Amino acid sequence: QVQVVESGGGLVQAGGSLTLSCRASGRFRTRDGMAWYRQAPGQAREWVATRTRGGVPAYIDSVKGRFTISPISVENTVTLQMNDLKPEDTAVYYCRYGELAWGQGTQVTVSS
């Protein structure tokens, strides 16, 4: 069973930066990739970024050049560095370990 925990959310002004962290732990037999999703109020959850094990990152077009997902660490941790944040980035950000488990989410609020 996999447990996923996110941290690092908060309130930031437009143009500012935040770094989110995610760690997967527990007993699991695979070495899946990890991904970030987000969900704004009244919106469907959308994929944001993915890091595959030993691979290159992929991003939704709207965050390319602004967000960076780290390589997966030995401790099964990834970070999401978010720069030049915009009000439309406001959402609950969720981390996913492969298709096995979701975290509870961390709130990111960007004020204008």
Side-chain angles (χ1 to χ4, degrees), residues 2-86:
V2 180
Q3 295 82 47
V4 178
V5 178
E6 308 98 332
S7 63
L11 174 64
V12 65
Q13 291 185 327
S17 299
L18 284 173
T19 299
L20 308 182
S21 295
C22 172
R23 180 171 182 173
S25 62
R27 293 181 176 269
F28 43 93
R29 294 175 288 181
T30 62
R31 295 197 302 163
D32 290 344
M34 299 179 72
W36 288 95
Y37 292 70
R38 65 187 180 186
Q39 187 168 23
Q43 304 279 160
R45 188 172 298 186
E46 69 174 352
W47 168 79
V48 176
T50 296
R51 174 72 78 160
T52 57
R53 198 76 60 157
V56 298
Y59 304 93
I60 192 172
D61 285 346
S62 62
V63 308
K64 287 181 178 177
R66 299 189 297 120
F67 291 12
T68 302
I69 185 170
S70 73
I72 303 170
S73 76
V74 174
E75 297 80 17
N76 296 306
T77 297
V78 296
T79 65
L80 185 69
Q81 175 68 52
M82 305 184 294
N83 299 130
D84 191 26
L85 283 161
K86 305 175 183 297

